[in-house]
Structure formats: C-alpha cells, structure tokens
Amino acid sequence: MNFELRAVPKPKHKRFKRTAKERGRITSEVYEAALERSGGRCERCGKCDYLQCAHLIRRWKVEVETTVNDVAMLCGPSVNTGTCHNIIDYTQAGKEWAEEYRDRLYRRAKINE
Ligand SMILES: [Zn+2]
C-alpha cells in the first residue's frame, strides 16, 4: 500500500463569515441614504437634534452587511438616557420599536423593488 502524506491545502478565502464588526459597519452610502430618508429628523420622535445612525438590530444579527433598512437616524447620543438611540439600545420597548420599524422598512423596500 502506498501512503502519501499530503498537506491540506490552505483555504482560498480567509474567513467564511465576516466578523460581526464587519457586518455591522455602516458605509457612507448607507449613512447618506438613511439621512435622506429621515429628512434630517429623528425617525422615532421627529426631533432634529444630534442625529446618529443607529442599528435597529444587534450587529451580530446582521446576516451579510448592514443595509439602509437595518439602521435609522435617531436622536442621541446613545449614552444619554431618554434619547431615542438610548431607548432602542437599552429598553425593551425601544428594542421592540426598532424591530417593528426595521420590518416596516424591509416591507417598504420590497414593494418598491
Ligand atoms: Zn428621537
């Protein structure tokens, strides 16, 4: 019998799935599109001050990459209690709002296809 030692070829791609950080990255295109959609106002409460591009779902839950339907322009900063960005990141009611809003955005995107 002939035994041959063969090295396993290195995978061509470095990583099958992008890291959560990469998937959660908000590109400038996504940011601009979200800002345009928001009309310069918080998409949750309608206020104009200190808008931030907030993830509507946890970064690690993003499948491939963050799209404009995964984010919303919300008033911040997220570290300040009472701002919409803070509410969706840290409260149950806010999380539910974010999920519903994201669903709505995806449904609307489908209709416009
Ligand atoms: Zn707000």
Side-chain angles (χ1 to χ4, degrees):
M1 260 208 218
N2 246 337
F3 287 101
E4 207 179 330
L5 256 181
R6 208 183 283 237
V8 177
K10 275 191 182 163
K12 291 231 170 65
H13 44 82
K14 276 197 188 125
R15 193 191 267 274
F16 187 67
K17 207 166 180 181
R18 297 186 211 189
T19 63
K21 201 178 159 194
E22 286 164 343
R23 299 198 304 276
R25 203 168 80 89
I26 297 170
T27 62
S28 51
E29 287 86 356
V30 166
Y31 185 91
E32 290 299 322
L35 190 62
E36 199 183 309
R37 186 185 67 212
S38 73
R41 288 174 170 276
C42 172
E43 292 183 65
R44 187 168 175 274
C45 73
K47 272 195 282 185
C48 317
D49 42 278
Y50 203 83
L51 291 184
Q52 292 184 321
C53 200
H55 276 89
L56 295 171
I57 55 165
R58 296 279 167 254
R59 283 159 191 257
W60 56 266
K61 276 193 178 175
V62 175
E63 293 275 338
V64 182
E65 58 181 5
T66 301
T67 78
V68 69
N69 301 319
D70 296 316
V71 297
M73 298 307 292
L74 297 179
C75 60
S78 61
V79 289
N80 282 17
T81 310
T83 65
C84 290
H85 196 171
N86 179 275
I87 288 167
I88 73 151
D89 276 359
Y90 299 106
T91 73
Q92 187 56 36
K95 225 179 278 175
E96 280 163 20
W97 177 88
E99 274 169 28
E100 275 174 32
Y101 192 64
R102 182 169 172 269
D103 278 353
R104 226 187 304 161
L105 292 176
Y106 269 104
R107 262 180 276 144
R108 204 166 64 184
K110 258 197 180 140
I111 292 164
N112 292 336
E113 251 171 29

